[in-house]
Amino acid sequence: EGVGIGAILRMGAKGFPVRVTEMGETEATLDMNHPLAGKKLQFELNLVDAAVAPPALKELSVETTQEGDGETFPKTGDTVTVHYTGNLIENGQVFDSSRERGEPFKFKIGVGQVIQGWDEGVAQMSKGQRAVLKIPSEKGYGQMGAGAVIPPGSDLEFDVELIDITPNE
């Protein structure tokens, strides 16, 4: 009570000032801008460590680790069943794995249900083949990334096994 738009309130143990910018019956919007917001600040920094980033991938590559039948390749619209483990090329961090879940992943190939690198890479594999797909960012999640798991601009590596192909009917 007694608080209106424009009022300055104090929050926290240090009494940090906040301004009321909107008021409803049961809630209010507060502007919690820091007192130094908008002011020029000068810092002195000491570089503690630096590393050279790995070179960005230029194109998709498919590196076979286990031969398939060499005859049965998926066609656009076929449903493929795969097992995979995906990691960031930059640091090797695993971000997803059907193997860890114990459940293969199914998708229709060539129709945009998965990232472009998967559509193009898995299409080059034959039934039973296991390969490492190295996918440049542009054929992965690009500059959008994927949530907190895949940073923007990340090149990706997937260990993929093509278990089965169900023809499109």
Side-chain angles (χ1 to χ4, degrees):
E1 287 185 17
V3 175
I5 294 177
I8 304 284
L9 306 175
R10 300 267 174 202
M11 293 187 68
K14 294 184 179 181
F16 183 76
V18 297
R19 180 179 307 272
V20 178
T21 58
E22 292 180 38
M23 298 237 358
E25 285 186 41
T26 59
E27 55 188 53
T29 302
L30 306 176
D31 178 357
M32 301 175 74
N33 252 342
H34 191 276
L36 297 176
K39 294 187 179 180
K40 290 185 180 183
L41 303 173
Q42 195 168 8
F43 293 94
E44 185 176 309
L45 303 174
N46 293 320
L47 181 60
V48 175
D49 191 15
V52 176
L57 289 178
K58 303 265 188 271
E59 58 187 36
L60 170 72
S61 70
V62 180
E63 301 167 8
T64 299
T65 57
Q66 175 185 307
E67 294 293 336
D69 69 10
E71 297 176 4
T72 314
F73 293 86
K75 297 174 202 63
T76 299
D78 288 351
T79 298
V80 295
T81 303
V82 300
H83 254 316
Y84 69 91
T85 298
N87 62 277
L88 303 175
I89 286 182
E90 179 181 357
N91 59 15
Q93 179 180 347
V94 173
F95 55 81
D96 192 16
S97 177
S98 67
R99 290 182 182 97
E100 287 180 15
R101 286 191 299 277
E103 185 173 325
F105 177 65
K106 294 182 180 189
F107 68 97
K108 280 187 184 268
I109 196 155
V111 297
Q113 289 185 347
V114 292
I115 59 175
Q116 184 180 355
W118 267 45
D119 269 341
E120 292 178 13
V122 175
Q124 298 176 40
M125 297 173 64
S126 65
K127 185 174 178 176
Q129 183 176 348
R130 187 166 176 171
V132 175
L133 307 182
K134 292 188 178 180
I135 302 174
S137 173
E138 303 79 48
K139 293 186 183 228
Y141 295 95
Q143 293 307 312
M144 296 296 291
V149 184
I150 301 174
S154 293
D155 293 332
L156 308 173
E157 183 176 273
F158 288 90
D159 175 354
V160 179
E161 179 183 2
L162 180 53
I163 299 168
D164 198 15
I165 302 168
T166 304
N168 184 19
E169 297 181 13

